[in-house]
Amino acid sequence: MNESQNTIPHLFRCPISLDLLEDPVTLCTGQTYDRSNIEKWLAAGNLTCPVTMQKLHDPSIVPNHTLRHLIDQWLQLGPQFDPGNSETSTIDSLASLKRNLESHESSLETKLQALTKISLLSDEYCSFKKSCFLQLEFLPLLLELVFGRTESQVSKNDMNFIELALCCIRKLLPLGSLEPLNKIKDGSKLATFVLLFEKGTNSVKTSLCRVIESTASSSETEDLCSILGNSHKLVHEIVQVVNQNHEVSGDAIKAMSALCSLQSNRESLLRGGAIDGIMRYISSERRYLAPIAMRIVEKLMGLESAREAFVNHPNGVQTLVNMVFRVSDQECSESAVEVLLTVCGEFGRAREEAIEGGVLTRLLLLLQSQCSNTTKSKARMLLKLLRSDPAKAGLDCQ
């Protein structure tokens, strides 16, 4: 291999021999070597990592299957050792970008340029590039660079870097395991996450909402989702965005929905004002995610305190009555009927408000529409419930 050394990507070389890695293994320091070379090093009585010179608290070696697969892919792309090969330049380019981000000597401008290139490269889907991003561990690095900051490092001057880094994180999340997100569980990093949601730009808030969504999509990050959902300050900030920030309200609704997927988060969402936030959202003109918002309300109705909060909300019942017959949105109609069926069955006041709000006419119109059989069945049940006391119903629906 020596005659071809100049064409081997740096990432694929053993730091000891500088030859192509044939059986890559990794030490506890995170450095990877060829098995035969590192075994000779350790057999000679060396108890340090050859590259970092750190003392090895654990001398065991672990096969690096990801890098092995990456090398196999590269070798199959042929010609094997073409210096002009685009895949070779991609590996070296990404490795160089990572070094720029890690280096304390790199200027802010250099780091911003590196993030811009990473964002562009991650847009070009390619299994080879995906493997490179994973092997070079870009996601853990970017998470550390964003959330490993102190409050003094979250200023307007830092926001461009944070925005770009979070944009890259969003693009890298679908490529592999979400386990690196668990870094955020650390107390100081969680505090930074909340601080960024509070003080960040709309772009930052959008990216953080996407991160929250991701935590609910994998069992690897279920604990993190629970921790985020039980952060009173974060939940409050999310509800504030739903109420006051039209540009990001849709992303905030999705984040709230993700948090609500865990039963353990629902009481926290309720305390954070989720009912009021959602009622305001589905009453607004920009309610394009109303079906998702309504599903959140449905889930919260499993809590007695949420049902009481809904009935006590000045516009709660009327807002859902208005959603009962929506020609353009049958999903919302079904959710509205389901929630009204729940609260009207428990609270007489809710029945009275629904009837006064015109729900009977809307239910009759819904039954004559092209809605699903499930929706019609629930509408009949609600109609029967409301007609069970003619004095309160105030009319005969026959």
Side-chain angles (χ1 to χ4, degrees), residues 42 134 266 292 385:
L42 296 173
L134 293 175
R266 292 173 190 171
I292 295 177
L385 173 67

Side-chain angles (χ1 to χ4, degrees), residues 160-174:
N160 281 345
F161 178 88
I162 293 170
E163 277 187 12
L164 265 176
L166 281 170
C167 179
C168 291
I169 287 170
R170 283 167 52 186
K171 293 179 179 181
L172 294 178
L173 284 175

